[in-house]
Amino acid sequence: MHCDGYTINIARTAPSVGADITGVDLSKPISDAVFDDIRRALGEFGVVLFRDQNIDSNAHLAFARRFGDININRFFQSVKGYPEIAYVAREPDQVGSTGWYWHTDHSYDQAPAMGSIFAAREIPAVGGDTLFAGMAAAYEALSDGLKSTLESLFAWHTDLVCPEVSDPTLQAVFADRQPGLQTNKGTRSKHPVVIRHPISGKKVLYVNPGFTERFYGWTQAESKPLLDFLYAHAGQPQFTYRHRWKEGDVAFWDNRATWHCALDDCFGYRRELHRITVEGVPLEAASA
Ligand code: MN
């Protein structure tokens, strides 16, 4: 219980990633004490979930701004009147989606986004779940030998290797759907393979199937077997949490601590989420 009368409760949703937070009303400004609890939980659990929230776009923005500057997304249309809020919608007859593979948003940026805050506006009766994987738990489960090897490595990340770009037919689908919007543009950044998480201080595996190109100083062919091993390892069910959305959910995930994957299995239904992405910081090696 905080002095302002809040009783905030934090409960894991799965052993490796995710926590439900209750006792917070995001339609109202949050106190510094509640902000600190949420931020710490985000670092610790990677994803925090708030149920039955009734927030409008102003409250969504006010909450996001507590955590940092807003990153204006170049891949989505925005919510009318709110350029900072991405309109992530899928129409019932729409073919082609995005982000259906494991990835970490913006890992190709020099200072990758801290995370995204999603408000669920319209949710399919079935399908459209989001999967998360916890990269601190996945790293922790590796052998000491591999951990020390990985801690000495860096990797290149680029927005040119994700499936939407490597498959030209998908590019055409996106161009049809969102004419005039920018797509991937060849941004490339080098990050440590094992980072020290900026909030939790934990060691976190920081490569992902969406955007990691190769290890620094290694060819793509040399990198592929070890990257494939890490992807198979980190994507194992025990490191994941599957979020079944309900209208009124607010989900906030930390891009440095997690992977996510948006299941493209809700053909015939409409899905609408509003997303605000918070800017991050350059990442430091766990070994530094
Ligand atoms: Mn994503």
Side-chain angles (χ1 to χ4, degrees), residues 99 103-105 253 260 275:
H103 67 282
T104 298
D105 290 335
W253 68 76
H260 61 275
R275 160 179 163 168

Side-chain angles (χ1 to χ4, degrees), residues 41-65:
L42 185 69
E44 177 69 23
F45 301 106
V47 184
V48 292
L49 305 149
F50 305 87
R51 315 278 183 168
D52 302 315
Q53 298 291 327
N54 182 22
I55 57 165
D56 60 15
S57 293
N58 289 324
H60 191 182
L61 258 180
F63 178 62
R65 286 200 174 110

Side-chain angles (χ1 to χ4, degrees), residues 84-154:
E84 306 95 332
I85 308 180
Y87 184 75
V88 182
R90 189 190 200 293
E91 299 305 327
D93 58 350
Q94 185 178 313
V95 178
S97 181
T98 187
W100 67 91
Y101 47 88
W102 283 121
H103 67 282
T104 298
D105 290 335
H106 298 211
S107 74
Y108 42 79
D109 285 337
Q110 210 59 52
M114 174 217 203
S116 288
I117 304 169
F118 277 76
R121 301 298 186 193
E122 188 174 344
I123 295 303
V126 289
D129 296 357
T130 301
L131 268 59
F132 297 96
M135 291 302 112
Y139 177 74
E140 189 49 42
L142 294 169
S143 68
D144 290 344
L146 183 51
K147 281 180 188 162
S148 67
T149 298
L150 295 175
E151 281 187 40
S152 69
L153 299 177
F154 287 76

Side-chain angles (χ1 to χ4, degrees), residues 10-280:
I10 300 171
R12 281 184 192 279
T13 51
S16 298
V17 63
D20 270 317
I21 297 187
T22 51
V24 180
D25 178 358
L26 298 180
S27 69
K28 303 191 176 85
I30 53 168
S31 67
D32 290 346
V34 169
F35 166 78
D36 285 343
D37 284 349
I38 293 172
R39 186 174 179 277
R40 223 181 355 257
L42 185 69
E44 177 69 23
F45 301 106
V47 184
V48 292
L49 305 149
F50 305 87
R51 315 278 183 168
D52 302 315
Q53 298 291 327
N54 182 22
I55 57 165
D56 60 15
S57 293
N58 289 324
H60 191 182
L61 258 180
F63 178 62
R65 286 200 174 110
R66 292 297 302 268
F67 293 86
D69 292 335
I70 306 305
N71 173 289
I72 309 280
N73 200 288
R74 69 178 194 269
F75 300 110
F76 297 96
Q77 314 278 6
S78 52
V79 172
K80 203 171 183 307
Y82 293 90
E84 306 95 332
I85 308 180
Y87 184 75
V88 182
R90 189 190 200 293
E91 299 305 327
D93 58 350
Q94 185 178 313
V95 178
S97 181
T98 187
W100 67 91
Y101 47 88
W102 283 121
H103 67 282
T104 298
D105 290 335
H106 298 211
S107 74
Y108 42 79
D109 285 337
Q110 210 59 52
M114 174 217 203
S116 288
I117 304 169
F118 277 76
R121 301 298 186 193
E122 188 174 344
I123 295 303
V126 289
D129 296 357
T130 301
L131 268 59
F132 297 96
M135 291 302 112
Y139 177 74
E140 189 49 42
L142 294 169
S143 68
D144 290 344
L146 183 51
K147 281 180 188 162
S148 67
T149 298
L150 295 175
E151 281 187 40
S152 69
L153 299 177
F154 287 76
W156 286 107
H157 299 247
T158 172
D159 58 5
L160 293 179
V161 291
C162 64
E164 290 96 329
V165 175
S166 9
D167 180 344
T169 61
L170 285 169
Q171 279 283 291
V173 169
F174 293 124
D176 289 350
R177 202 175 79 213
Q178 303 188 314
L181 275 192
Q182 256 186 295
T183 53
N184 303 49
K185 57 182 187 182
T187 308
R188 182 177 261 103
S189 294
K190 188 180 90 176
H191 300 295
V193 168
V194 185
I195 59 164
R196 177 77 59 192
H197 192 274
I199 301 173
S200 70
K202 288 182 180 176
K203 291 180 179 182
V204 174
L205 181 65
Y206 196 74
V207 287
N208 71 86
F211 302 115
T212 305
E213 182 181 46
R214 60 187 174 89
F215 295 113
Y216 174 71
W218 298 31
T219 66
Q220 248 176 315
E222 289 167 339
S223 304
K224 191 173 185 301
L226 180 51
L227 287 173
D228 284 346
F229 166 78
L230 293 170
Y231 300 157
H233 166 78
Q236 290 179 92
Q238 69 267 31
F239 302 125
T240 69
Y241 163 68
R242 177 172 181 149
H243 187 62
R244 169 89 271 267
W245 295 92
K246 287 196 176 69
E247 279 156 37
D249 283 357
V250 173
F252 188 175
W253 68 76
D254 183 308
N255 272 312
R256 294 84 50 101
T258 55
W259 288 349
H260 61 275
C261 162
L263 295 185
D264 184 25
D265 60 355
C266 54
F267 191 80
Y269 292 104
R270 194 171 183 280
R271 182 179 188 264
E272 181 185 328
L273 299 158
H274 292 183
R275 160 179 163 168
I276 303 179
T277 298
V278 179
E279 295 280 19

